[in-house]
């Protein structure tokens, strides 16, 4: 029987290894799998490459993972957000690497990784410093830059509902990077607020087909990052 | 006696052999024709999820007569059903599953299979024939394990397990295992290894109806 | 006010011009916009390039369009299906061109066309006649072939429900090529069985966002191609 | 008198000028900051649909105090609402809308705009600064019409409308029109053409605070 539900976050992240590449869903706090990230901090894996749009805020979630020096390199589009101090400090000291990628190119590189497309051409960033050193080519008189797929060993993703096949739906703009990250990671690990029976999710409305998901853990009331930050909380607490 | 040997397994037995080799929890794509029969033989205690590349994961059995829905079909354009936990998606997402190596097993028919795993199953290359490829080339390029299920020789007595395919290729060195009415063969670095012979059949007989070199 | 609903199929297809490239949704009869195709036959545009997975069956729908010699070239993955005789006959006589594309490559080329990606690399068809003459490149020791995007002047698409913004949902496996074709055509023209109020389609379940759709026409009870073929019907009747 | 002239339009007036130039039925993406103000000035009888690149088409007004949903935000990570007829989608689909030229108008802020339409709005390039680009490069590469809304000169009196951008570019020759507190300028093949001057302002004064060459 196929059953992707695991009992707790510890079990969900137990095999994440040093040096792994991990995609983490979320745009700001929306869709950020904060409980899975905290479990990863407890688990101890280090030298990680993290693919995520931002770098977290305060000292919880992704920012806490970075603060604990577990992250060797960030691949992201916008490392500088409100209340993000951890990444900027380490970056200025030269203690963390940054690969800055335009947001749409980041999304498309992840989607390509999941779709078996090793590289593609995009007009984004042509003529800017972010295209420097990259191959360009002209199609129909317009110049495009070649970008490579990004794949990951793991994805940590937040969803609203899941079933035992791993089918997922998300909540509003918390959907953001989750669906494509599930496709691009060898092992997609999902925290969902609700676990439902097979068939409870309308087959016309499934956003992430279960084939892209390896593990699901139920987190009924996920923490809200901005509240934790406002309360000056730090993980581990 | 020789005639009996030549018959080997019937199509259902071949399909059952394939099904027995598919691990529990696999995502499986079944090609059109004989491969479709595999679905009838899911071993006790295992759960497979069937993908059909026209846009359904969780394909269920054929509907009861009169219950067919012309908008719920499989890649062979036949009416199917959807199981609880199924989902629908568009073609680009469907082939993300295939090309992105998310499907575990694909079972395909063949015109020819070569000893290095080359597969020809979409065109005889005859002049004037209408070529039609469908998803076959995507499946062999993207699915982790490719099983071929086929008669060992053609109706006119020609070898289908060959040294080199004479028909246009579907993919190069893509087949992992071949299930015929006479034997099960693994594609290995050293060539085609006989894993199982149909009852009463000799290795020598199998080699005599196989153009490719085989070994035990 | 944005209102993409038009009153009838004649109005929907009126500006399709000779020589246009038209994407037509459907996989077999599922999702084939038969009423829009019939309106196109009546409208008279010719020298068309049609992008569609198949070539229709019998002498209705796409097969009828081909039978009336309106189609210069087919771009498809599987031109040979049950009850398809029109295309094979013209093809054998050399009266219609064929660009045969693997199904997944066809889908990805259409998706790329809609997504502003002019070209991408795929492992599909490498080492086969369908990759002959195309540029190949090795990434991580695997050979890939470069494929170009396909765009169209028009798309004719069948959906289940639409609203005045052009948001769409489809019915089961009739979804197939519709969503990507809407993105890749300058003018996506949709026939929907139901027109609903804004907000009636759950915003989490919209499959084609209205931005990709230009016109919607209501066809409450679309004809079923296989029935028409079984009855030996021919269009125009 | 000179001081009064220098003030020109206020930010709301600038935003209103932008809104007046957006055709009915447009799909519009508003950048973070001043561009967000455009949403308040939809002209009577027109309907715009707002796209926010984090995954929402049909973005509505700011929610009432206490009604904020942390999972319903815009690209600036501020709480928003969704209108009837809205839809949610993932980032790859969202940037299909952008890169695929489906968005009609994008209104962006600027650090510098050059007379050929080059835009710099993501980095001052200072050593030690944390670069952050977000969706800006995708928007200028993919949206059909790019409007820039910006103060004409910086707080420290430096020109923002320049001959050549000294800051790292967001995109080359991408801006169509510039709305400042002092004027509206079109990027043309011949350079920057003044379309409208703020009340009481002279062309000569505008040129004196504009590094780029302008013409009427």
């Amino acid at each position: 029987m196929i059953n992707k539900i695991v009992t707790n976050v510890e079990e969900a992240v137990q095999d994440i290894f040093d040096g792994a590449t991990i995609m983490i869903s979320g745009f700001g706090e929306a869709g950020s799998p904060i409980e899975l990230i905290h479990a990863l901090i407890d688990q101890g894996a280090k030298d990680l490459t993290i693919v995520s749009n931002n770098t977290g805020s305060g000292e919880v979630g992704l920012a806490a993972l970075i603060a604990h020096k577990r992250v060797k390199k960030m691949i992201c589009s916008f490392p500088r957000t409100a209340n993000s101090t951890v990444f900027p400090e380490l970056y200025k000291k030269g203690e963390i690497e940054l690969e800055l990628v335009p947001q749409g190119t980041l999304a498309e590189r992840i989607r390509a990784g999941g779709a078996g497309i090793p590289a593609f051409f995009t007009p984004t960033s042509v003529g800017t410093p972010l295209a420097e050193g990259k191959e360009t080519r002209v199609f129909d008189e317009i110049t495009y830059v070649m970008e490579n797929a990004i794949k990951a060993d793991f994805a940590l993703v937040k969803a609203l509902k899941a079933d035992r096949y791993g089918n997922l739906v998300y909540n509003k703009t918390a959907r953001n990077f989750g669906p494509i990250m599930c496709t691009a990671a060898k092992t997609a690990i999902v925290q969902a607020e609700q676990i439902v029976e097979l068939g409870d999710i309308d087959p016309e409305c499934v956003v992430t087909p279960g084939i892209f998901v390896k593990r699901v853990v139920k987190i009924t009331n996920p923490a809200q990052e901005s509240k934790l930050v406002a309360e000056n909380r730090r993980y581990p607490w | 006696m020789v005639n009996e040997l030549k018959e080997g397994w019937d199509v259902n037995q071949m399909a059952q052999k394939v099904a027995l080799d598919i691990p529990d929890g696999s995502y499986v794509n079944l090609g059109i024709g004989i491969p479709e029969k595999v679905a009838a033989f899911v071993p006790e205690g295992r759960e497979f999820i069937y993908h059909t590349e026209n846009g359904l994961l969780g394909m269920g059995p054929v509907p009861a007569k009169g219950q067919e829905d012309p908008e719920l079909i499989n890649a062979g354009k036949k009416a199917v059903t959807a199981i609880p936990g199924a989902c629908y998606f568009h073609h680009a997402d469907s082939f993300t599953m295939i090309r992105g190596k998310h499907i575990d097993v694909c079972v395909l028919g063949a015109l020819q299979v070569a000893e290095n795993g080359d597969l020809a199953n979409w065109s005889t290359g005859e002049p004037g024939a209408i070529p039609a490829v469908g998803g076959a080339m995507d499946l062999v390029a993207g699915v982790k394990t490719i099983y071929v299920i086929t008669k060992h020789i053609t109706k006119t007595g020609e070898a289908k397990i060959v040294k080199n395919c004479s028909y246009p290729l579907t993919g190069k060195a893509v087949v992992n295992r071949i299930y015929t009415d006479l034997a099960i063969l693994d594609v290995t670095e050293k060539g085609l290894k006989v894993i199982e012979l149909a009852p009463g059949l000799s290795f020598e007989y199998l080699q005599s109806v196989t153009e490719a070199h085989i070994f035990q």
Side-chain angles (χ1 to χ4, degrees), chain A residues 7 28 38-39 103 135 169 217:
Chain A
T7 51
H38 288 167
Q103 196 171 334
E135 179 175 336
V169 293
V217 61

Side-chain angles (χ1 to χ4, degrees), chain A residues 1-4 111 113-117 163-165 167 182-185 198-204 206 208-214, chain B residues 24-27 45-49 51 57-58 82-90 92-93 95-97 99-104 144:
Chain A
M1 192 181 95
I2 297 170
N3 186 8
K4 298 181 178 178
R111 191 238 169 222
I117 303 294
D163 62 27
R164 69 173 171 89
Y165 282 175
N167 291 310
C182 286
T183 71
L198 291 183
D200 281 359
I201 304 175
D202 181 345
E204 301 281 8
V206 170
T208 291
I211 192 170
F212 298 122
V213 173
K214 287 287 189 305
Chain B
D24 185 31
S26 292
Y27 290 90
R46 291 189 210 170
E47 192 175 23
F48 303 157
I49 296 188
H51 172 262
L57 189 69
I83 63 169
C87 55
Y88 301 104
F89 33 80
H90 62 59
D93 283 348
F95 284 83
T96 284
M97 296 178 192
R99 200 189 311 99
K101 298 205 174 289
H102 303 283
I103 310 277
D104 298 302
K144 294 171 201 160

Side-chain angles (χ1 to χ4, degrees), chain A residues 126-149:
Chain A
V126 169
T128 80
L130 297 191
E132 274 169 24
K134 289 179 182 167
E135 179 175 336
T136 59
R137 187 187 294 222
V138 175
F139 297 91
D140 286 335
E141 299 180 17
I142 297 168
T143 304
Y144 297 84
V145 60
M146 193 175 86
E147 295 280 359
N148 293 307

Side-chain angles (χ1 to χ4, degrees), chain A residues 77-117:
Chain A
S77 89
F78 211 85
R80 200 182 58 203
T81 38
N83 303 308
S84 84
T85 52
V86 167
F87 176 86
E89 280 171 24
L90 287 178
Y91 181 76
K92 281 179 187 167
K93 287 194 275 184
E95 293 179 5
I96 190 166
E97 292 171 57
L98 169 64
E99 180 179 345
L100 190 73
V101 184
Q103 196 171 334
T105 299
L106 182 65
E108 192 66 10
R109 290 177 65 191
I110 295 167
R111 191 238 169 222
I117 303 294

Side-chain angles (χ1 to χ4, degrees), chain B residues 108-121 140 146-152 154 158-180 185-187 192 209-214:
Chain B
L108 288 171
L111 294 166
Q112 296 176 324
V113 188
E115 57 189 41
N116 69 342
D118 285 359
L119 174 66
N121 80 342
V140 300
I146 302 289
Y147 290 157
V148 159
I149 184 166
T150 180
K151 287 277 180 177
H152 203 88
T154 68
E158 287 157 293
K160 300 184 82 168
I161 318 297
V162 295
K163 282 196 182 0
N164 294 293
C165 295
S166 59
Y167 295 149
L169 292 189
T170 306
K172 285 181 84 76
V174 293
V175 176
N176 298 99
R177 187 172 278 189
I178 309 164
Y179 299 80
T180 79
L185 302 142
D186 261 4
V187 179
L192 295 175
V209 294
T210 307
E211 187 202 297
H213 172 72
I214 58 175

Side-chain angles (χ1 to χ4, degrees), chain B residues 67-94:
Chain B
Q67 299 297 305
E68 298 89 350
D69 178 342
E71 299 202 317
L72 178 46
I73 60 173
N74 66 11
K77 305 191 178 78
K78 297 193 199 83
V80 295
T81 53
I83 63 169
C87 55
Y88 301 104
F89 33 80
H90 62 59
H91 260 71
D93 283 348
S94 185

